Amino acid sequence: MNTEINSDGVGMGESRESRLMRVVGFMWQHLLLLCSLFMMTLGVALTIRSDLGSSVISSIPMVMTLAGADGKVPGLTVGEYTNLMNVALVLVQILILRRRFDKVQLLQLVIGAVFGFFLDISMWITSAVAPASLAGEIVAQVAGCVILGVAIAFEVRCGSVTMPGEGVPAAICKAFGMHFAKAKIIVDISLVTIAVALGYLFFGRWMLMVVGPGTLFAMIFVGLVVKFVGARIEWFEKVLHYHPGFRRYFYGLARFLRRSKA
């Protein structure tokens, strides 16, 4: 068999195989990302079910969903309102960065849409969770925050496009040189404030089941979980760069196709 050689002296067959491996690696990386996102939505759903206060990212969508159920706004699901909020967050990034906005960050819209879709599934899965006591509510809240924190730690390790909720503080850091942690706190407080304001707008009161003590707990505790877990999952790098089954299959397929053309 004659192997084609490119201008750099590298076999064309080898080049195709390496490109194929990069595609397989990309697919594996984002499959793990999808698993992390789904796990995140399970955590968010449990915080919502606790009735002690949802997570920051779901506070505005939850108020809108409750207002929709009351006929005051379109009756969309919490996942659908999350999608709309994620679009708004990407627009905020564009307004902040203007020409410095990297177009690849538009993929946040895709990640945000998947997150919203998964959130509706997770709300359905957790529909039977209805704590009848304060102790049960606390357990649901803590469990949701732990799951959310663990999932975020793995999502960060996946190293792909960030969620829009993290994209805004990242844009603030880039535009104003602010530390990420400080920018994140500002963004989280802003989202919670808007949720409280929407509660007064639509219901004339503070919606404690949406923005309550559990929300404040989540703002602090989830970050601690992310820090704790993130420092202990170095092994995940091996999983991230492993292609179980795919490598042998695609490598063999590439060699077969190359031989057939020879």
Side-chain angles (χ1 to χ4, degrees), residues 57-127:
I57 198 65
S58 61
S59 57
I60 293 176
M62 269 306 300
V63 175
M64 297 301 295
T65 299
L66 292 174
D70 209 30
K72 298 174 180 176
V73 293
L76 303 181
T77 65
V78 63
E80 290 168 337
Y81 271 118
T82 298
N83 289 342
L84 293 177
M85 186 184 71
N86 284 332
V87 172
L89 291 175
V90 173
L91 291 176
V92 169
Q93 295 175 52
I94 295 174
L95 291 174
I96 293 173
L97 295 175
R98 299 178 183 272
R99 294 182 180 179
R100 287 189 289 172
F101 180 80
D102 191 348
K103 291 182 180 179
V104 73
Q105 294 303 322
L106 289 174
L107 289 175
Q108 291 180 34
L109 295 173
V110 178
I111 299 297
V114 172
F115 184 88
F117 174 72
F118 282 166
L119 182 54
D120 280 340
I121 294 177
S122 293
M123 289 296 290
W124 175 74
I125 292 174
T126 59
S127 58

Side-chain angles (χ1 to χ4, degrees), residues 39 167 194 200 242:
M39 189 174 175
I194 293 172
Y200 278 105
Y242 177 60

Side-chain angles (χ1 to χ4, degrees), residues 12-256:
M12 293 297 287
E14 294 178 357
S15 177
R16 293 192 191 97
E17 289 171 9
S18 64
R19 286 198 297 269
L20 186 59
M21 286 301 100
R22 284 198 296 272
V23 171
V24 173
F26 178 85
M27 293 171 60
W28 178 243
Q29 174 193 15
H30 285 78
L31 176 61
L32 294 174
L33 175 64
L34 290 177
C35 293
S36 300
L37 289 177
F38 183 68
M39 189 174 175
M40 287 172 63
T41 61
L42 280 175
V44 171
L46 282 175
T47 64
I48 292 173
R49 297 298 184 188
S50 75
D51 277 342
L52 290 176
S54 64
S55 63
V56 173
I57 198 65
S58 61
S59 57
I60 293 176
M62 269 306 300
V63 175
M64 297 301 295
T65 299
L66 292 174
D70 209 30
K72 298 174 180 176
V73 293
L76 303 181
T77 65
V78 63
E80 290 168 337
Y81 271 118
T82 298
N83 289 342
L84 293 177
M85 186 184 71
N86 284 332
V87 172
L89 291 175
V90 173
L91 291 176
V92 169
Q93 295 175 52
I94 295 174
L95 291 174
I96 293 173
L97 295 175
R98 299 178 183 272
R99 294 182 180 179
R100 287 189 289 172
F101 180 80
D102 191 348
K103 291 182 180 179
V104 73
Q105 294 303 322
L106 289 174
L107 289 175
Q108 291 180 34
L109 295 173
V110 178
I111 299 297
V114 172
F115 184 88
F117 174 72
F118 282 166
L119 182 54
D120 280 340
I121 294 177
S122 293
M123 289 296 290
W124 175 74
I125 292 174
T126 59
S127 58
V129 178
S133 65
L134 178 60
E137 293 174 345
I138 292 174
V139 169
Q141 180 71 35
V142 173
C145 289
V146 170
I147 293 173
L148 180 58
V150 171
I152 291 175
F154 281 99
E155 182 238 347
V156 171
R157 284 278 181 172
C158 286
S160 186
V161 178
T162 62
M163 287 283 294
E166 280 69 51
V168 174
I172 293 174
C173 293
K174 186 175 180 180
F176 305 107
M178 187 181 297
H179 192 276
F180 182 83
K182 183 177 180 180
K184 177 65 173 171
I185 292 173
I186 292 174
V187 172
D188 285 352
I189 292 176
S190 299
L191 293 176
V192 169
T193 301
I194 293 172
V196 171
L198 289 173
Y200 278 105
L201 176 65
F202 293 123
F203 302 100
R205 60 189 175 91
W206 188 309
M207 305 292 286
L208 281 173
M209 76 287 294
V210 178
V211 180
T215 306
L216 179 60
F217 174 76
M219 290 175 67
I220 299 172
F221 187 66
V222 170
L224 295 176
V225 174
V226 173
K227 184 177 180 179
F228 178 84
V229 175
R232 290 165 174 78
I233 56 172
E234 290 83 0
W235 55 267
F236 186 65
E237 292 294 331
K238 295 181 179 179
V239 177
L240 191 60
H241 295 95
Y242 177 60
H243 310 295
F246 294 116
R247 181 184 294 276
R248 291 189 298 273
Y249 174 77
F250 282 108
Y251 181 78
L253 179 61
R255 292 187 64 183
F256 173 77

